[in-house]
Each structure stands twice: as structure tokens, then as C-alpha cells.
Amino acid sequence: MLDYAGLEALAAVVREGSFERAARKLHVTPSAISQRVKQLEERVGQVLVLRGTPCTGTDAGRRLCLHVEQVALLENELRRANPALMPDHDVPAPSLKLAVNADSLSTWFMDAMQAFTAGGNELLDIRLDDQEHTAQRLREGEVLAAVTATGTPIAGCNTWPLGTMRYVGAASPAFVARYFPEGPSAQAMAEAPMMAFSRQDRLQDQWMQLHGFTLPRRHPPRHFLPSNFAYVRACESGMGWGMHPTVLIAEQLAQGTLVDFAPGLTLDVPMYWAHPRSAQAGLERLTQCVMAAAHRWLGADA
């Protein structure tokens, strides 16, 4: 049987990033935390924490941390359903690490979070990443569940289709008049400044490739702006063009502050919800909230 005092110490070190902060969180000394982690590593026969600034979990360490989170979720459900069986009221609420892409977080996933937190005491720890990379966080054991664009099976995980997020190329009217007066072309796309959320953001390139905009050898000029609100505002101000989910910019399109400069040339990105099979019971309510919100916004068959 695993040593849960050691697992608690391990999870605190990985979560807090240092033995000292973990000790303060658990109200013990740093040496006690170090001893518990060392004993756990000896028991499992491998290193679980990479000592550094910050301390991070190894692959095995992260997976044990997720195990602790799953146990905390199940105990929390049991405490809520049968308080007499779990009389300890001083236990902190469990925290769920989730990986979500920015566009989902700014739109439909907010409804899922609101419904979930309104129905329980669980806390959410959201890790923001591109939809093409959230699945990797799940594979590496960094998060307990993820919204992802990866439909291929993830080892040890259940995956549900959420629906499709539709993107359009949009920019300000003045930008369109300057760079695309006769509509988008390969040459015009190569010269027009492009907005990217991050260096992992490939939506613009995927859209151009999908619709046959074969660019010259040089790459288009790019602004990098990792904020959905600022990204939309930057496009409205004429800084560049970008790919926008239609559910996010419906108001701007209606008001004319943004223009779909290539009507009919859309990019549809299927979205999925995934989590380890071992977490099925603990995440059942969250999964229901996610599927219901996705059905309303993305047309998923929830």
C-alpha cells in the first residue's frame, strides 16, 4: 500500500514548487517533508521530485500526484454523500488541474466551470495551452483532464467529442481595405501582419493551407499576443488579421468592427474532452457539466 503521508508531501512539493512552501502548507518542517518524500522514493524505487527552482515532479511523480488528486475527489464525494462516514470537516477542498485552450476558456467552458463550482466545493486549477498541446499535458500526468483538439486515442484515457469550434479570418475594415482590397491572395497574405496567440498557435497557417494560399518563401509578419481580449482588440484596432472563433466575435461582426474578409472560408476545429479512465468516477459530475455546456455552444451530442 502506498504511504499517503508521503504522497501528500510529494503533491505539496510539486504543487508549491519547493520543500519550504510545502512545509508551510502542511504545517510541518521542511526536513519532515524531505524525509517523507525520500522514504516514498525509496519505497517505489525511483526519483519522484527533481530538486530545483522550482521543484518539479518526474513522470512517475506527476502520476502519483494525480493519484492523490483522484483519491481526494472520491473522498470528497463520499464526505458530501455520507458525512457520518467522513467526519473530518477540516480537510481542504480538492483542487482539479485542467488543461483548456484560451478560446474555449473565453467562451463555452466558463458555463461548465460555473455549473460545476455551483454544485460542489471543488476548486479548479486551470492550465492554459493551445488546443493542439493540451493533450500532451494529460499524457504527461500534469493535469487530470483536458479540452483538446486531439481526437486520436490517448493511452489510458476516455475521450468524448464536444462539438466543433468554427473559426473565420477577420480584421478591421480599414485593415481589410489596405491589405485585401480585392480579397485575400497568397501575395497579400504574405505581406499582411498576422496576429498569433503564441508561438504554438498554428490556426492561421492551417487556415491558409486548407484554402490554398501558397505563400512565397518568406513568412508573414506576426504579432504575438497571448490574451483573447487583447487579441480581439488588436484586430479591431488594425494591428493585424487573425483567426477568431465565431462564438467569440459575433458581436464585433454584427457591429462591423471586425470583418470576415474571406466569407465561406472557415476552419472547423473538432474539440474533445479527455481524462484518465481511473478518474471516471471522481470526474463524472464535471464531465456532465462540460458536455452540457459544449452542447449549448458547440452543438455536441451530449
Side-chain angles (χ1 to χ4, degrees):
M1 179 178 290
L2 292 170
D3 173 16
Y4 277 86
L7 286 173
E8 183 183 36
L10 169 67
V13 170
V14 174
R15 182 175 60 249
E16 301 297 326
S18 80
F19 284 76
E20 291 74 17
R21 287 196 293 272
R24 288 196 294 269
K25 201 74 173 180
L26 298 182
H27 307 292
V28 297
T29 64
S31 61
I33 292 290
S34 180
Q35 185 65 22
R36 291 178 189 179
V37 172
K38 181 180 178 181
Q39 290 175 347
L40 183 62
E41 289 178 326
E42 290 175 349
R43 172 168 290 188
V44 300
Q46 57 186 301
V47 175
L48 300 175
V49 175
L50 299 176
R51 278 72 170 171
T53 308
C55 292
T56 57
T58 62
D59 180 66
R62 290 194 300 269
R63 296 192 181 282
L64 284 175
C65 289
L66 285 184
H67 172 74
V68 174
E69 291 182 20
Q70 292 177 40
V71 170
L73 276 176
L74 292 172
E75 289 186 349
N76 191 65
E77 280 294 324
L78 182 60
R79 185 177 297 107
R80 186 160 48 212
N82 299 279
L85 295 177
M86 306 284 287
D88 188 353
H89 300 293
D90 295 328
V91 177
S95 182
L96 285 69
K97 297 186 184 73
L98 311 176
V100 184
N101 64 306
D103 290 334
S104 292
L105 187 61
S106 296
T107 53
W108 67 272
F109 200 77
M110 290 297 298
D111 284 5
M113 293 192 297
Q114 187 278 328
F116 179 69
T117 55
N121 66 333
E122 296 90 346
L123 303 174
L124 297 179
D125 183 351
I126 304 297
R127 311 298 172 91
L128 199 63
D129 209 337
D130 181 83
Q131 63 268 15
E132 301 290 339
H133 295 84
T134 50
Q136 187 61 28
R137 292 194 178 221
L138 185 59
R139 291 189 190 96
E140 293 176 353
E142 185 180 341
V143 297
L144 196 57
V147 174
T148 176
T150 301
T152 55
I154 301 173
C157 292
N158 288 328
T159 302
W160 292 264
L162 294 173
T164 299
M165 186 165 281
R166 171 160 290 183
Y167 288 81
V168 296
S172 70
F175 185 94
V176 174
R178 177 181 177 184
Y179 288 98
F180 310 133
E182 299 178 3
S185 66
Q187 186 61 40
M189 302 301 296
E191 296 174 357
M194 177 194 300
M195 301 300 304
F197 187 84
S198 69
R199 282 167 174 77
Q200 293 179 324
D201 179 8
R202 309 304 300 170
L203 286 175
Q204 288 69 224
D205 302 276
Q206 291 172 12
W207 178 79
M208 288 188 291
Q209 182 179 12
L210 176 65
H211 295 296
F213 294 108
T214 304
L215 303 187
R217 187 175 297 274
R218 67 186 181 87
H219 297 291
R222 297 178 193 241
H223 297 290
F224 295 97
L225 194 52
S227 161
N228 271 51
F229 176 77
Y231 187 101
V232 173
R233 289 292 303 276
C235 287
E236 286 183 293
S237 71
M239 279 180 59
W241 72 273
M243 297 304 298
H244 303 262
T246 55
V247 294
L248 183 62
I249 62 164
E251 183 177 344
Q252 287 83 352
L253 291 173
Q255 294 176 347
T257 58
L258 285 176
V259 176
D260 177 355
F261 59 79
L265 302 186
T266 61
L267 177 65
D268 290 339
V269 179
M271 305 300 295
Y272 302 88
W273 173 248
H275 65 62
R277 294 189 187 96
S278 58
Q280 177 80 26
L283 293 179
E284 182 177 359
R285 191 169 63 83
L286 175 59
T287 296
Q288 291 173 351
C289 293
V290 168
M291 298 298 289
H295 177 74
R296 290 193 298 273
W297 285 77
L298 307 179
D301 297 325

